[in-house]
Amino acid sequence: MDAIELLLTRQSSPRLVAPAPNAEQLNTILSAAIRVPDHAGLNPWEFIVASGDGLAKLGQLFVNASAAEGSDESTQAKMANMPQRAPMVITVVAKVVEHAKVPALEQHLAVGCACMAMQQAAFALGLGGIWRTGGLAFNRVLHQDLGLRDNDQIIGFLYLGTPAVTAPIKPTKLATDVVRYL
Ligand SMILES: Cc1cc2nc3c(=O)[nH]c(=O)nc-3n(C[C@H](O)[C@H](O)[C@H](O)COP(=O)(O)O)c2cc1C
């Protein structure tokens, strides 16, 4: 796919089915992630990949995290099934380090770019994805269960797979509404 066509037509796929990205595709997707702008080359990221049995493990971590907030059984059942909405879920983590010139915000932005690059790579490979967050991204129990440190932040859960439906490409947005010139 032409790069400009990718940038102008990329869209999310909320409904994803198997197959998940294969090993070669996943390698391409992760390689795109770590190619993004990274001030001072801090590599401030970690990608926790769940597929197969890993999806149930991630679901159990979601349940534990939600139970710690006092959720009821029906919410916990929903949490258990959340990762099953795609054949692969990558938890995208900002591993923030102290740096004199690179504040945490810039490190978060770099990891956001990585998340976006992965979705774009998946799209270019004919796969689909959607970037989700929700309260779980900020849940301290989930952070602890995933082995994250105090300053780490989940930037997103990138759901990846094959689009269940071929959605029509959304109409082009007009940049003129959001730009001004000096
Ligand atoms: C940081 C971030 C968090 C998001 N969290 C969610 C989410 O939890 N659930 C959701 O349905 N969409 C979420 N979205 C929006 C989707 O990823 C997607 O962009 C949106 O559905 C619009 O679709 P499009 O990408 O095709 O324009 C989030 C987007 C960003 C950038």
Side-chain angles (χ1 to χ4, degrees), residues 10-14 85 116 119 129-135 155-156 170 173:
R10 174 223 64 86
Q11 61 187 30
S12 302
S13 298
R85 292 178 292 179
M116 187 64 212
Q119 195 201 38
I130 183 164
W131 177 351
R132 297 183 192 273
T133 49
I155 296 299
K170 292 176 189 167
K173 294 181 184 175

